[in-house]
């Protein structure tokens, strides 16, 4: 079972009660725009759609009922990555779907299967869930981070022209351990790996918190402010419980207002 992710909009730094309509969704993806509307997708194939980013309603379900999806828009396609456990954890796979539009009313709306881009065999030290897709603004290369507490957070390179694994025979890189729901952002020459530590799903007693490390290379090593590598369990506290927010988890901070300034203080 995958853990909770949080929506990637600036309103997650504002009071949650400012949102309107249907706002509950498990493991929401990065929020993306299509034809003037906002879309996000969640575990079980669920989705939400909004005209303004604040008032939300239930959207059209995905053809795959997997775990913790993430989505990105490149060229004339939307690529969606969604995980599924094959039997018991940590045997899992991340599948890619693509579509020319996210609008179900469009004649071009049709999800196509793109195949497996990452997997774990149930024996190795990794659980191939919680995909987080990242397009490097410095060189246009495309990457996917994934993994959970069953082992390492890993990184593979994707082909930005097809959304598929660029070199399927290349060994994934290990970036971090003892965390999950990871994602990557880039700012001012630094790559930041954010991931969730602690325990989830215990209501007010949830111990989830967000940790971060940074690197000059997308492949790491990702060090915290004390110089400890995330592969050794490092990670500076980025956000913990406080006020109305209990057990915050992380998927992406690309749209968080002020996130760049916070990260720059590392």
């Amino acid at each position: 079972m995958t853990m909770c992710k949080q929506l990637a909009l600036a309103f997650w730094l504002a009071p949650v009660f400012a949102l309107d309509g249907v706002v509950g969704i498990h493991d929401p993806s990065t929020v993306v725009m299509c034809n003037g509307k906002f879309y996000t997708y969640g575990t079980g194939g669920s989705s939400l759609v909004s005209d303004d980013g604040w008032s939300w309603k239930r959207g059209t379900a995905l053809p795959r009922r997997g775990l913790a999806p993430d989505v990105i828009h490149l060229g004339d396609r939307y690529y969606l990555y969604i995980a599924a456990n094959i039997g018991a954890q940590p045997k899992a796979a991340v599948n890619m779907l693509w579509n020319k539009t996210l609008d179900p009313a469009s004649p071009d709306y049709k999800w196509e299967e793109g195949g497996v881009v990452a997997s774990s065999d149930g024996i190795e030290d990794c659980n191939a869930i919680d995909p987080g897709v990242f397009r490097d603004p410095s060189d246009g290369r495309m990457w996917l981070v994934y993994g959970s507490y069953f082992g390492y957070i890993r990184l593979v390179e994707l082909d930005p022209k097809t959304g598929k694994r660029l070199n399927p025979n290349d060994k994934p890189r290990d970036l971090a351990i003892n965390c999950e729901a990871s994602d990557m952002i880039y700012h001012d020459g630094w790559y930041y790996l954010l991931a969730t530590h602690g325990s989830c799903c215990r209501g007010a007693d949830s111990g989830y918190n967000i940790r971060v490390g940074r690197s000059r290379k997308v492949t790491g090593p990702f060090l915290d402010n004390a110089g400890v590598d995330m592969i050794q369990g490092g990670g500076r506290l980025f956000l913990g419980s406080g006020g109305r927010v209990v057990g915050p988890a992380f998927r992406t901070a690309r749209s968080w207002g002020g996130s760049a300034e916070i990260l720059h203080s590392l």
Side-chain angles (χ1 to χ4, degrees):
M1 174 180 175
T2 186
M3 304 302 182
C4 298
K5 300 188 294 185
Q6 296 294 320
L7 277 171
L9 286 179
F11 54 67
W12 287 110
L13 297 184
V16 174
F17 54 78
L19 298 178
D20 190 25
V22 180
V23 296
I25 186 170
H26 190 67
D27 297 332
S29 71
T30 300
V31 175
V32 293
M33 289 192 69
C34 179
N35 296 333
K37 294 185 177 182
F38 297 87
Y39 294 83
T40 185
Y41 298 90
T43 286
S46 58
S47 74
L48 298 179
V49 59
S50 172
D51 292 326
D52 56 12
W54 294 96
S55 297
W56 294 82
K57 62 183 179 180
R58 192 68 61 191
T60 302
L62 294 171
R64 270 188 174 271
R65 297 178 57 84
L67 306 172
D70 201 12
V71 63
I72 189 171
H73 181 208
L74 293 176
D76 63 350
R77 291 185 177 186
Y78 293 85
Y79 296 105
L80 185 140
Y81 299 87
I82 188 165
N85 283 118
I86 306 168
Q89 296 189 75
K91 188 175 183 180
V94 177
N95 288 267
M96 183 268 285
L97 305 174
W98 67 270
N99 206 328
K100 290 184 177 180
T101 178
L102 301 181
D103 182 3
S106 170
D108 293 325
Y109 182 83
K110 182 181 180 182
W111 286 105
E112 300 280 0
E113 291 280 351
V116 173
V117 296
S119 63
S120 52
D121 60 13
I123 300 175
E124 61 189 301
D125 290 329
C126 183
N127 185 25
I129 64 170
D130 290 355
V133 61
F134 168 67
R135 181 78 182 274
D136 190 337
S138 70
D139 59 15
R141 294 171 74 179
M142 187 171 167
W143 304 86
L144 188 82
V145 290
Y146 62 94
S148 81
Y149 279 110
F150 280 87
Y152 295 107
I153 298 297
R154 286 183 167 168
L155 175 78
V156 294
E157 187 170 5
L158 304 176
D159 186 341
K161 296 180 180 179
T162 65
K164 298 181 180 182
R165 185 86 164 263
L166 184 63
N167 299 301
N169 294 325
D170 285 358
K171 183 180 179 180
R173 292 178 178 266
D174 297 333
L175 301 182
I177 199 167
N178 295 335
C179 55
E180 59 192 0
S182 60
D183 215 328
M184 195 179 295
I185 62 175
Y186 176 87
H187 173 68
D188 196 22
W190 289 94
Y191 298 89
Y192 294 87
L193 180 67
L194 296 107
T196 306
H197 283 242
S199 58
C200 89
C201 312
R202 302 201 325 246
D205 295 324
S206 176
Y208 251 0
N209 60 91
I210 302 167
R211 303 278 173 163
V212 60
R214 72 176 185 176
S215 173
R216 286 294 187 183
K217 297 181 180 180
V218 69
T219 53
F222 288 88
L223 309 182
D224 62 19
N225 57 311
V228 181
D229 195 333
M230 292 183 75
I231 202 72
Q232 300 296 329
R236 183 180 181 179
L237 180 65
F238 180 78
L239 184 65
S241 296
R244 294 172 57 89
V245 179
V246 177
F250 192 82
R251 286 306 299 167
T252 180
R254 292 188 190 99
S255 300
W256 276 20
S259 62
E261 287 73 19
I262 295 172
L263 293 174
H264 192 67
S265 68
L266 274 174

